[in-house]
Amino acid sequence: MNYEDILANLKKKIYHPVYFLMGEESYFIDQITDYISKNVLTEAEKGFNQHTLYGKDTDVDTIITHARRFPMMANHQVVIVKEAQNIKKIEDLDTYIKAPLKSTILVINYKYKTIDKRKSFAKQLGKTSVLFESKKIYDNQLPSWINSYLSAHEYSIAPQASAMLAEYLGTNLSKVSNELDKLIISLPKGTQITPDHIEKNIGISKDYNIFELQNALGEKNILKTNQIINYFAANPATSPIPRTISSLYYYFMKILTYHFLTDKSPNAIASALQVNPYFVRSYTAAAKVYTPKKLVAIMEILREYDMKSKGFGNVSTSAGDLQKEMIYKILH
């Protein structure tokens, strides 16, 4: 059962006796847990029937004892186990999982790790419970996730704005959702979010960001590139060199991939590069500026400055000056 199905069932009051929520991405685990915590019981019922345990302070026997209690003046009791990845011998819950109490909703947060799905404990969870793996989202999936999140709240977003957010915020979905919520609170429903909205409400410059740096480099616009990199150098806290190097690596790698595509139709390019079709034209133009040989050289430059940013072969040059040097070498 996926995240959307779990939430849809919860909203219909279709409850399962056990929710074992595991995986690297904590956002989906937190969302499911928060929904159950806030919506299954009324405020009056929660006093006697909702309990939260923590992995560092509890054990399997204590969890089972709580889970086997009957609710008081309510149809259900909710037992939430947070930080369950810290519980020793979590598989000993198997005795309860085989015959869970139907009036109990046991929610187990097993974050940043997964159990072995080949073992009997996981197979038993699959039979009587909801076993959900919250997988880490990839960089190329983030713009689509942003679009879906905003669409669910009756907003849309321009491709440039989505790319700005994805590049600046990274794949920490809790952080991304918090920033999107700022936009939702500030703007009327039905708004298409633009780079101007992002600059005003989140503080990401619409002119001086990694997305605009990529565009300037793709066009080999030396003036604009230097303006942006000078801004980065002057604002190292908001434009750290590791983010710049990582983003440029993936950008130039996509241009290199473009060169070796046999099918260069817009849809094929978008699919191969895993980008919004809106951006295909810019990659096509950039490929005319950078030959495969130059792109390989750029990869070496990025690797060199990645090492220098970590102190290898660099004693005193500041991160800002390293960014300037790196961009100069890329352009020449």
Side-chain angles (χ1 to χ4, degrees):
M1 192 177 293
N2 62 32
Y3 170 72
E4 289 78 13
D5 291 337
I6 292 170
L7 276 187
N9 281 345
L10 288 171
K11 289 174 182 179
K12 295 174 185 175
K13 300 187 183 300
I14 300 172
Y15 302 136
H16 294 265
V18 180
Y19 292 82
F20 196 99
L21 314 174
M22 63 180 185
E24 292 184 61
E25 180 50 71
S26 63
Y27 174 81
F28 298 113
I29 293 172
D30 289 338
Q31 289 295 300
I32 293 168
T33 302
D34 289 347
Y35 188 90
I36 291 172
S37 174
K38 293 175 182 177
N39 295 283
V40 171
L41 301 176
T42 66
E43 289 303 317
E45 292 170 338
K46 288 177 183 179
F48 290 108
N49 299 293
Q50 186 154 304
H51 312 278
T52 301
L53 306 173
Y54 292 87
K56 290 182 180 179
D57 304 319
T58 194
D59 54 32
V60 168
D61 288 340
T62 302
I63 296 169
I64 292 175
T65 298
H66 275 79
R68 283 182 172 160
R69 292 174 183 168
F70 288 96
M72 294 180 63
M73 296 177 287
N75 292 326
H76 295 93
Q77 74 150 341
V78 174
V79 180
I80 298 171
V81 184
K82 296 187 176 182
E83 303 169 3
Q85 67 273 13
N86 295 313
I87 297 173
K88 295 179 180 179
K89 296 184 178 180
I90 189 76
E91 63 274 8
D92 287 352
L93 271 174
D94 191 57
T95 56
Y96 178 78
I97 301 298
K98 287 178 180 176
L101 202 63
K102 291 185 178 180
S103 57
T104 292
I105 299 173
L106 174 61
V107 184
I108 301 171
N109 286 187
Y110 196 83
K111 290 183 178 179
Y112 317 118
K113 298 171 69 176
T114 60
I115 58 172
D116 191 336
K117 292 181 181 179
R118 298 168 297 179
K119 293 189 175 180
S120 59
F121 178 53
K123 291 178 181 177
Q124 186 60 53
L125 281 167
K127 292 177 184 177
T128 59
S129 316
V130 171
L131 177 59
F132 170 69
E133 182 178 354
S134 184
K135 295 181 179 180
K136 200 76 176 174
I137 194 168
Y138 293 108
D139 290 339
N140 64 290
Q141 297 171 314
L142 187 56
S144 177
W145 189 88
I146 290 170
N147 293 344
S148 297
Y149 187 94
L150 290 171
S151 178
H153 291 81
E154 300 179 38
Y155 292 79
S156 60
I157 185 167
Q160 307 99 308
S162 182
M164 277 176 61
L165 286 173
E167 288 286 355
Y168 184 81
L169 298 175
T171 57
N172 182 328
L173 295 186
S174 296
K175 180 180 179 181
V176 175
S177 63
N178 286 338
E179 297 301 323
L180 294 177
D181 288 343
K182 290 180 185 178
L183 294 166
I184 289 168
I185 291 169
S186 304
L187 302 170
K189 282 189 176 182
T191 300
Q192 184 185 49
I193 294 166
T194 66
D196 286 325
H197 292 133
I198 291 172
E199 182 174 54
K200 181 178 179 181
N201 294 284
I202 296 180
I204 306 172
S205 171
K206 65 182 176 66
D207 297 313
Y208 301 101
N209 58 69
I210 191 67
F211 177 66
E212 289 301 320
L213 176 62
Q214 291 173 359
N215 284 342
L217 285 167
E219 297 168 358
K220 218 161 189 180
N221 185 328
I222 295 175
L223 175 61
K224 187 175 180 182
T225 299
N226 286 331
Q227 288 173 336
I228 296 171
I229 208 64
N230 285 334
Y231 177 88
F232 282 13
N235 297 274
T238 56
S239 308
I241 189 169
R243 183 196 294 158
T244 304
I245 292 172
S246 176
S247 296
L248 291 183
Y249 177 84
Y250 287 110
Y251 173 70
F252 285 113
M253 183 59 75
K254 287 175 182 175
I255 300 173
L256 184 60
T257 300
Y258 173 93
H259 277 289
F260 297 99
L261 294 178
T262 53
D263 183 352
K264 286 188 169 63
S265 64
N267 287 339
I269 294 169
S271 177
L273 303 188
Q274 296 182 319
V275 298
N276 187 305
Y278 178 88
F279 299 112
V280 166
R281 187 178 298 175
S282 65
Y283 281 98
T284 301
K288 294 176 181 177
V289 175
Y290 296 95
T291 65
K293 183 178 179 180
K294 176 62 177 176
L295 290 165
V296 171
I298 288 172
M299 297 303 171
E300 289 303 317
I301 293 168
L302 293 173
R303 290 191 186 95
E304 174 191 351
Y305 280 86
D306 179 53
M307 296 299 289
K308 285 186 175 181
S309 71
K310 295 170 181 172
F312 295 96
N314 172 45
V315 177
S316 58
T317 308
S318 69
D321 286 339
L322 283 177
Q323 294 206 59
K324 291 179 183 178
E325 285 180 16
M326 178 179 70
I327 294 301
Y328 177 84
K329 285 190 177 183
I330 289 172
L331 287 171
H332 294 84

